[in-house]
């Protein structure tokens, strides 16, 4: 599985998101950071990634237009040609289809690979369509 990942760029960004202070207990930024660091160092199929920046967000992912810090992170990723974006879990990425669809387009173009450190999963251009469909089902 991991040997098929088309790595051409090992630079990675971790986006650590909680929607409110209430989530700090279950999905704290610290817990997410620990998983992102461990995943990028060795759990990504034996392919260490270079974690170049960590974005810590406390904002809802329900409405794409309201995600100012997330938008800032995505601009950084594009500007710096980051090849890997790490989220803790799929539901930490987005709670709206707009952002999921945009990220899927970026993955399919080969802009970056999406990683989910808790689940030790990733999505890349060669991932089966069923993996993208399953991801879309996490939107609530």
């Amino acid at each position: 599985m991991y040997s098929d990942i088309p790595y051409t760029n090992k630079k990675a960004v971790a986006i650590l998101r909680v929607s409110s202070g209430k989530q700090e207990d279950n999905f704290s930024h610290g817990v997410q950071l620990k998983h992102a660091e461990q995943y990028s160092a060795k759990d990504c199929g034996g392919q260490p990634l270079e974690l170049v920046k960590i974005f810590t967000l406390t904002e809802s992912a329900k409405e794409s237009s309201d995600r100012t810090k997330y938008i800032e992170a995505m601009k950084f990723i594009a500007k710096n040609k980051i090849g890997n974006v790490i989220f803790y879990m799929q539901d930490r990425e987005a709670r709206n289809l707009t952002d999921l669809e945009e990220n899927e387009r970026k993955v399919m173009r080969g802009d970056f690979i999406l990683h989910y450190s808790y689940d030790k999963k990733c999505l890349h251009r060669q991932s089966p369509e069923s993996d993208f469909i399953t991801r879309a089902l996490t939107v609530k």
Side-chain angles (χ1 to χ4, degrees):
M1 176 173 121
Y2 282 109
S3 62
D4 297 337
I5 300 172
Y7 286 108
T8 57
N9 177 338
K10 298 286 186 130
K11 290 195 281 183
V13 162
I15 299 177
L16 317 175
R17 184 189 72 80
V18 296
S19 59
S20 69
K22 294 177 188 176
Q23 283 191 327
E24 282 295 328
D25 293 336
N26 300 330
F27 299 114
S28 75
H29 292 122
V31 168
Q32 293 181 45
L33 176 60
K34 178 182 172 186
H35 279 269
E37 289 175 335
Q38 181 179 9
Y39 180 86
S40 65
K42 65 178 180 177
D43 284 344
C44 185
Q47 299 285 332
L49 301 173
E50 178 189 353
L51 194 55
V52 297
K53 188 158 177 79
I54 297 161
F55 287 90
T56 305
L57 290 65
T58 303
E59 64 184 11
S60 173
K62 187 175 179 184
E63 296 292 332
S64 181
S65 59
D66 294 339
R67 301 183 73 191
T68 56
K69 291 183 180 182
Y70 173 81
I71 292 167
E72 177 185 319
M74 297 312 285
K75 286 179 181 177
F76 176 89
I77 290 163
K79 179 181 177 186
N80 293 282
K81 297 180 178 19
I82 302 298
N84 301 276
V85 180
I86 303 169
F87 290 95
Y88 179 61
M89 299 169 73
Q90 291 179 354
D91 72 347
R92 300 295 87 201
E93 179 185 357
R95 291 287 195 185
N96 68 78
L97 291 174
T98 302
D99 291 334
L100 289 181
E101 290 172 0
E102 180 60 26
N103 284 347
E104 183 174 338
R105 279 191 287 276
K106 291 174 182 177
V107 167
M108 296 311 287
R109 277 196 314 254
D111 294 352
F112 55 69
I113 297 169
L114 282 172
H115 300 266
Y116 305 102
S117 62
Y118 181 79
D119 300 318
K120 294 182 176 60
K121 292 184 179 180
C122 66
L123 293 172
H124 52 82
R125 290 193 322 196
Q126 298 167 1
S127 294
E129 186 176 342
S130 59
D131 288 354
F132 290 96
I133 292 169
T134 302
R135 172 175 154 265
L137 295 174
T138 66
V139 175
K140 295 179 183 174

